[in-house]
Amino acid sequence: MPVEYRRATGGRIDRSRTLGFSFNGKRYSGFAGDTLASALLANGVSLTARSFKYHRPRGIVGSGVEEPATLVELDGEHASGNNAVTIVPLHDGLRARSVNCWPSPGFDLGAVNQLFARFIPAGFYYKTFKWPDWHLFEPSIRRAAGLASAPSSPPSEGRFEARNAHADVLIAGAGPAGLMAALVAARAGARVFLADEGSEAGGSLLSRDLQIDGAPALDWVANVTAELASLPNVIHLQNTTVWAYREHNLLIANERQPARDGVIERSWRVRAKQVICATGAIERSIVFANNDRPGVMMASAIQSYVNRYAVRPGKRAVLFTTNDSAYSVAADMKATGIEVAAIVDHRLEVSPEALALAQGIRVLTGHVVTRCKGHRRVRGITVAKLDGSSVTDISCDLVGLSGGWNPAVHLFSQSRGSLRYDDTIASFIPDQPAQPTQSAGAAAGLLHLSEALASGAEAATAALGAVGLAGNRVEVPAATDMPYRIAPLWRVDAGSTKGKAFLDIQNDVTLDDVHLALREGYDNVEHVKRYTTGGMGIDQGKVGNVNIIGTIALEQDRPLSEIGTTTFRSPYTPVSFGSVAGLREDSVVMPYRHTPVTAWNRAQGAVMYEAGARWQRPGYFPRAGESFQDTVNRECRAVRQAVGVYDGSPLGTFELKGADTPAFLDLIYTNIMSNLKPGAGRYGLMLTDDGLIFDDGVAFRLDEHRWLISASTGHADAVYQHIEKLLQVDHPQWQVHITPVTSQCSNATICGPLARDLLRKLGTDIDLSNESFPFMALREGQVAGVPARVIRVSFTGELSYEINVMPRHLPDLWARIIEAGAEFGIAPVGSEANHVLRVEKGFLSLGHEVDGTVDAFDLGMNWVMSGKKADFIGKRAVTLRRASGKPRRELVGLMPLDPMRAIPEGAPLTQNGAKIATEGLVTACVWSEVNQSWVALALLENGHSRHGTTAHVRLQDSVIEVKVTAPVFYDPDGKKLRS
């Protein structure tokens, strides 16, 4: 790496560990402890990206999550896109490339947009693409939109994970205020959850040479983190961003690369009694012509690279500031060998403390930078007095900007707390909280180190009092820091100077864009945001938002307090979908539910699926050399030709007892249940109040006052809540008691033409003859020597027996079934084969055919809608909806004219396959072994009257012709299941 960009000593990097990496196909090296950004700067790489809209050359601007300009896409085992280059930790073999440029940032064909920049201002697409038809332009616009593409496959190694936690005090941020708050709360015995987005605790102390209690501040940081690590009541996580603040103090944090247990990212859902936002502050840019050129950085970022990473981002620098904080940056730059050509300060007066740090450096007070010169890297700046006179040029390859500090109020704002403008720091700070939360340190607008430490201790003490804990008083250490003074500058009026002045660097929002929005009547700050996209997307207003508000205030001649802020939305920083989903493995905080034969299923090599309510059940049982389709076909043949067995234990089951149970069942089901005799059952539908299908299942009468009903696995909890609400709120006078018994009985369902033979071989005292034990009947007795409740229901269309036993008996019963069934060619059956079998029979699936619009008539289930009952839930709504006379989408079967052509589920049906509004959609499609063809179910307008006609399935690049049939492809009369 070039010697002139890497300091020979210093920094918090490990020079004994050299790491190789590639960026845009070129090899480089860095050290352990580097970020990708610091390593690139150490190698003299200044052009790292192209801008979103105009494809202008861009470089690294920040040093943390605020980085607006350079986003990268990572290749390899942890592939992901849209990562801020500043938070990607360097590791050996890292492969990264810039997004939104092709073929590279150095030569980007998209740069042609710069030639047409005047024709594509903010909002141009709203006006340009209305005529003749938006859909004409839509494909091209969608291809051009976005940044990095989504990974084509999941990570080859590692996994994502989700965890829940509870805390007395959650502290977001481990800077000086956050560490002080954590120390006070932890010593008092509170359960503390401390999360910080950086790789190390310390916040701004990692980049500045400050003293606490007369010793280096980092010594204090090390002592505090060591004490916190020793306490069992503290969870302290680094590389963890608290990105969302929800109702009732639920916060969501994303832990990146924990480097243990093979976890790539971990999502934490933390319920906290009290929250302390110690999220720090973000330095803001200054708006002038060409303020986006590579080599223009935030002053604090330069300080971080110089001190923390031992990197000189340039050789000759100019600092442009509106406040005192830039002067310590200048001193650090000078001390590490960077020539500071000048400090340009638009203020007329500078404090003596600041000037003392700038000894030997040219300070231009009452001046502004009007323009940057250079293209692929800044080559110099133009400086002028505030009145536009005394214009001069200064050559440099690095420009540091410090427009002031914005407290990171994003989390506080997400909690619905209000903000107010503070003239002292010229930014917005937290005002009135809406939840049990406080802000401390720079996040509260307290920018002096001693203030940050004191506010952290005060916030923790208040939080402890709120949760009923009283800790010993903790002495706040003494600290020295320079006072903070600022005179805000929202833009530089450059007059006739050419060049775009950017307010939001990430979204390419310029000063002219905001002026245009205001001229067109979008004078509310939220409207300006949407018209220009300023503060949207990944950035969420971190760097440029307050400058946009200041620009609006100047144009409208109003104070910033009247303009207000935009809404800060979650996520605060990008979060991968893998982390959000948080795959659960085995026993964690939200464990999977297992049946008694889960271990047997896994031992047989079953591919396990997650079913509703977190059940684990087998999807299919592959054998050596079989493809997925081969396995499913084999399992289907076993059920259709011999016998199969599947685990039906997750099916929701409830026992109802009481004198009013018959009347209650007649209310919740669409058909009559009250006239069933003991030992008999009936299939039924439950509707919502608006007449749509809520759930389906069977009800069996056990005796005069006891009933057994079933619900679908995924809706079992919702059905239980539905029934309880009806009984406790709507009909509290009814004598009905409900008991969930899903986990109290487990079942093995044997199905197929040889099921009766297998059950007899197992041994039972139940008369299995069809006359004595017909379809939809329930019998109790002994099966294989254990007490059992056997029910004749069928979800496959074949002769079936659901054998219900106590959970402790199921493993032995299952083993006996497999052993006895070997003679009959038995096969264990997974949910994939069950899906095929139910489609062949046209049986209802809530996850497929029930789409929130259809009713039982649409599904051809008129027989289940009783006309004899005075009322049932949803009856009137169904009648009113059907009275409109509008066309209805009705359930049909589809047979492709080419039997070997699969039809994608969800594909639309259109008239003649034209690109017009759909007349239906495919709800399910399977390969049918009994038909030797692909068959499908669909919802089609007026489908019941179109049997025998041809319909067309519209795909992106082709059309599939299908024959419309009745929605049953096997045993339409039901003779098999009643045999």
Side-chain angles (χ1 to χ4, degrees), residues 177-338:
L179 288 175
M180 193 69 216
L183 186 65
V184 172
R187 285 180 177 176
R191 292 175 301 167
V192 175
F193 191 101
L194 174 63
D196 184 79
E197 64 194 7
S199 60
E200 296 181 77
S204 62
L205 300 180
L206 296 168
S207 304
R208 301 175 63 195
D209 184 14
L210 295 175
Q211 301 263 316
I212 294 179
D213 275 346
L218 291 180
D219 290 349
W220 177 82
V221 171
N223 293 334
V224 172
T225 53
E227 181 174 346
L228 294 176
S230 69
L231 297 175
N233 55 315
V234 176
I235 296 176
H236 178 191
L237 303 176
Q238 292 297 140
N239 290 313
T240 303
T241 301
V242 183
W243 60 267
Y245 199 140
R246 301 286 190 252
E247 295 82 1
H248 308 294
N249 266 23
L250 174 65
L251 293 96
I252 310 176
N254 182 44
E255 184 183 6
R256 300 177 302 277
Q257 296 180 330
R260 57 179 182 271
D261 303 329
V263 177
I264 303 169
E265 291 183 19
R266 181 177 289 123
S267 180
W268 290 86
R269 290 87 183 238
V270 186
R271 187 79 68 178
K273 294 179 180 178
Q274 292 285 314
V275 173
I276 298 175
C277 294
T279 46
I282 298 172
E283 196 169 28
R284 63 176 174 255
S285 183
I286 305 178
V287 183
F288 57 93
N290 293 334
N291 62 334
D292 66 325
R293 293 304 189 198
V296 178
M297 302 176 68
M298 306 312 300
S300 59
I302 298 174
Q303 190 173 38
S304 180
Y305 290 119
V306 165
N307 292 333
R308 184 174 177 184
Y309 300 104
V311 171
R312 301 184 188 94
K315 301 176 183 177
R316 179 178 167 86
V318 171
L319 289 175
F320 182 17
T321 185
T322 65
N323 63 89
D324 291 343
S325 66
Y327 287 81
S328 67
V329 179
D332 288 349
M333 292 167 65
K334 180 181 176 183
T336 53
I338 298 176

Side-chain angles (χ1 to χ4, degrees), residues 901-953:
R901 186 75 186 270
I903 307 172
E905 293 186 357
L909 291 100
T910 65
Q911 293 182 7
N912 299 317
K915 290 184 177 180
I916 56 177
T918 68
E919 57 178 356
L921 75 154
V922 178
T923 64
C925 182
V926 299
W927 171 260
S928 171
E929 277 288 279
V930 295
N931 290 280
Q932 286 296 295
S933 170
W934 288 93
V935 298
L937 298 176
L939 295 172
L940 181 65
E941 283 187 8
N942 299 319
H944 293 164
S945 64
R946 296 171 64 174
H947 293 179
T949 64
T950 299
H952 299 81
V953 179

Side-chain angles (χ1 to χ4, degrees), residues 228-500:
L228 294 176
S230 69
L231 297 175
N233 55 315
V234 176
I235 296 176
H236 178 191
L237 303 176
Q238 292 297 140
N239 290 313
T240 303
T241 301
V242 183
W243 60 267
Y245 199 140
R246 301 286 190 252
E247 295 82 1
H248 308 294
N249 266 23
L250 174 65
L251 293 96
I252 310 176
N254 182 44
E255 184 183 6
R256 300 177 302 277
Q257 296 180 330
R260 57 179 182 271
D261 303 329
V263 177
I264 303 169
E265 291 183 19
R266 181 177 289 123
S267 180
W268 290 86
R269 290 87 183 238
V270 186
R271 187 79 68 178
K273 294 179 180 178
Q274 292 285 314
V275 173
I276 298 175
C277 294
T279 46
I282 298 172
E283 196 169 28
R284 63 176 174 255
S285 183
I286 305 178
V287 183
F288 57 93
N290 293 334
N291 62 334
D292 66 325
R293 293 304 189 198
V296 178
M297 302 176 68
M298 306 312 300
S300 59
I302 298 174
Q303 190 173 38
S304 180
Y305 290 119
V306 165
N307 292 333
R308 184 174 177 184
Y309 300 104
V311 171
R312 301 184 188 94
K315 301 176 183 177
R316 179 178 167 86
V318 171
L319 289 175
F320 182 17
T321 185
T322 65
N323 63 89
D324 291 343
S325 66
Y327 287 81
S328 67
V329 179
D332 288 349
M333 292 167 65
K334 180 181 176 183
T336 53
I338 298 176
E339 179 186 355
V340 182
I343 299 176
V344 180
D345 194 328
H346 90 110
R347 298 174 298 173
L348 296 176
E349 295 183 3
V350 181
S351 68
E353 296 94 336
L355 289 174
L357 293 171
Q359 289 184 7
I361 299 174
R362 182 186 181 191
V363 178
L364 299 174
T365 56
H367 283 67
V368 292
V369 176
T370 59
R371 182 187 177 205
C372 271
K373 296 186 294 183
H375 182 65
R376 296 163 68 91
R377 170 126 195 183
V378 64
R379 293 185 291 105
I381 58 165
T382 300
V383 178
K385 286 187 175 181
L386 294 177
D387 61 4
S389 64
S390 300
V391 177
T392 184
D393 290 336
I394 302 175
S395 64
C396 60
D397 63 354
L398 179 63
V399 177
L401 305 180
S402 183
W405 290 87
N406 301 326
V409 296
H410 299 68
L411 276 183
F412 183 86
S413 182
Q414 286 180 31
S415 74
R416 300 305 182 193
S418 62
L419 306 175
R420 65 179 174 85
Y421 184 74
D422 187 296
D423 288 306
T424 305
I425 67 168
S427 191
F428 290 88
I429 64 174
D431 188 17
Q432 295 298 318
Q435 299 195 54
T437 184
Q438 305 171 70
S439 296
L446 305 173
L447 302 177
H448 193 282
L449 179 56
S450 60
E451 293 177 325
L453 293 169
S455 67
E458 291 169 5
T461 302
L464 290 171
V467 300
L469 293 173
N472 296 325
R473 185 173 180 274
V474 177
E475 194 71 30
V476 178
T480 56
D481 198 357
M482 187 175 65
Y484 179 76
R485 301 178 183 88
I486 182 174
L489 177 65
W490 306 122
R491 69 182 186 213
V492 173
D493 292 314
S496 59
T497 302
K498 294 182 179 179
K500 290 186 175 296

Side-chain angles (χ1 to χ4, degrees), residues 713-736:
T713 301
H715 277 196
D717 290 343
V719 168
Y720 182 50
Q721 293 173 12
H722 173 64
I723 292 175
E724 283 284 26
K725 183 263 183 184
L726 290 171
L727 291 174
Q728 295 186 32
V729 179
D730 298 342
H731 300 281
Q733 75 281 5
W734 280 2
Q735 294 298 310
V736 181

Side-chain angles (χ1 to χ4, degrees), residues 35-189:
T35 63
L36 179 56
S38 65
L40 288 173
L41 291 171
N43 282 276
V45 180
S46 58
L47 176 56
T48 54
R50 288 282 175 159
S51 72
F52 174 69
K53 181 176 177 182
Y54 300 115
H55 289 254
R56 288 166 64 99
R58 292 279 168 83
I60 295 167
V61 174
S63 60
V65 297
E66 80 285 352
E67 169 59 33
T70 304
L71 303 176
V72 296
E73 195 169 356
L74 304 181
D75 295 331
E77 68 274 15
H78 296 166
S80 62
N82 296 336
N83 300 273
V85 68
T86 50
I87 62 171
V88 176
L90 197 67
H91 66 82
D92 202 41
L94 174 71
R95 302 198 310 273
R97 61 179 182 273
S98 304
V99 305
N100 198 47
C101 57
W102 189 85
S104 70
F107 179 73
D108 178 21
L109 292 179
V112 68
N113 284 7
Q114 296 176 54
L115 300 176
F116 306 101
R118 62 179 298 186
F119 302 110
I120 51 175
F124 78 96
Y125 41 86
Y126 296 130
K127 308 168 186 176
T128 308
F129 302 115
K130 285 184 176 180
W131 183 90
D133 185 359
W134 155 255
H135 296 294
L136 179 66
F137 307 100
E138 183 180 12
S140 298
I141 292 175
R142 290 196 180 279
R143 281 194 296 270
L147 295 169
S149 58
S152 57
S153 60
S156 57
E157 297 180 7
R159 69 182 190 278
F160 297 94
E161 185 178 272
R163 287 190 180 181
N164 285 3
H166 292 264
D168 293 318
V169 183
L170 180 145
I171 302 166
L179 288 175
M180 193 69 216
L183 186 65
V184 172
R187 285 180 177 176

Side-chain angles (χ1 to χ4, degrees), residues 553-638:
L554 285 177
E555 290 300 301
Q556 297 180 348
D557 194 22
R558 297 164 59 197
L560 272 77
S561 57
E562 292 184 10
I563 304 298
T565 67
T566 56
T567 301
F568 297 105
R569 304 186 187 281
S570 60
Y572 173 66
T573 56
V575 180
S576 69
F577 285 117
S579 174
V580 172
L583 298 180
R584 299 187 299 272
E585 297 294 337
D586 297 318
S587 296
V588 291
V589 173
M590 294 181 67
Y592 281 124
R593 301 170 71 181
H594 300 283
T595 74
V597 292
T598 296
W600 186 92
N601 290 328
R602 288 178 169 174
Q604 305 308 306
V607 176
M608 303 300 289
Y609 287 0
E610 180 177 356
R614 304 188 304 278
W615 285 99
Q616 278 238 305
R617 66 191 310 174
Y620 55 102
F621 293 83
R623 293 177 179 172
E626 281 186 339
S627 67
F628 165 81
Q629 193 62 56
D630 291 338
T631 301
V632 176
N633 292 346
R634 173 177 52 77
E635 294 177 15
C636 290
R637 286 195 301 270

